[in-house]
Amino acid sequence: MRAHKSRLEAGPGPGQPVHAASYPRQRRLVLDSALRRQPAERARIFVHEVFHFVWVRLGNSSRRAWEALLEAEIAAGAPGELGWSAEWRKDALRPGDRRNRTRRWREYACESFCDTAAWLWAGLERHEEFTLPRKERSARRRWWMDLRRHHPEGWRI
Ligand SMILES: [Zn+2]
């Protein structure tokens, strides 16, 4: 599958190769059928995609708090991420993206949120895409435990 001009296309052609895509406003989630034979990767990608739905309904204050956590990591010079989807966007950030909350920044924040959820909840001990240092992983885990305490009834999707 490829993501091309905000559309999902199959077979060879232009665009970014992807294993899944979510369309929260259409209530639609698409997984590549090749993932049937890769249960660990399927779990990681499925959790990531489900959290795109959570992000949409999370509320501005929590989203802004997540962005503040990311900003602190970047200010501290922390490299890496918890998934390639967030990492390439982090690497592509330009000065001023955070301050101006550009589309690049907002997409990075969203993908980082979903990759962190997958790291926490998909049950994988390690993965080559888990490159964020230990200290920042711990801070993210604390942030999520706090978020969970504030949503004892669960997250809406
Ligand atoms: Zn994503």
Side-chain angles (χ1 to χ4, degrees):
M1 295 196 310
R2 294 171 287 110
H4 180 52
K5 293 182 176 168
S6 320
R7 290 209 325 269
L8 204 58
E9 298 177 357
Q16 184 92 340
V18 294
H19 290 298
S22 296
Y23 305 91
R25 287 168 219 289
Q26 298 170 26
R27 316 295 300 149
R28 203 155 68 92
L29 191 166
V30 181
L31 288 181
D32 189 339
S33 57
L35 292 169
R36 275 182 306 198
R37 293 178 295 278
Q38 305 168 54
E41 194 66 357
R42 183 179 65 226
R44 189 174 75 94
I45 290 171
F46 180 73
V47 172
H48 174 108
E49 296 302 325
V50 165
F51 275 84
H52 271 290
F53 292 75
V54 174
W55 177 258
V56 168
R57 293 173 176 263
L58 191 61
N60 281 333
S61 67
S62 294
R63 283 200 289 256
R64 297 301 171 98
W66 179 249
E67 290 179 33
L69 179 81
L70 298 178
E71 184 179 20
E73 288 178 4
I74 289 169
E81 255 299 337
L82 291 167
W84 178 240
S85 178
E87 185 155 358
W88 73 260
R89 286 176 172 86
K90 181 178 184 176
D91 292 344
L93 288 174
R94 298 180 193 162
D97 277 344
R98 164 60 175 139
R99 190 177 59 254
N100 299 318
R101 296 194 72 251
T102 62
R103 183 183 176 141
R104 260 193 309 275
W105 171 262
R106 286 179 281 119
E107 286 185 357
Y108 164 59
C110 172
E111 295 302 328
S112 177
F113 178 85
C114 297
D115 276 341
T116 304
W119 167 69
L120 275 170
W121 312 117
L124 278 72
E125 288 280 312
R126 53 179 64 87
H127 191 286
E128 61 182 3
E129 294 180 20
F130 298 163
T131 57
L132 191 73
R134 184 180 299 271
K135 180 171 168 259
E136 281 74 23
R137 292 186 197 195
S138 301
R140 287 194 186 187
R141 187 188 299 276
R142 284 194 301 276
W143 190 92
W144 275 87
M145 296 310 132
D146 203 43
L147 183 69
R148 196 164 68 165
R149 267 194 299 280
H150 286 95
H151 295 266
E153 76 291 354
W155 292 301
R156 292 181 66 209
I157 60 170

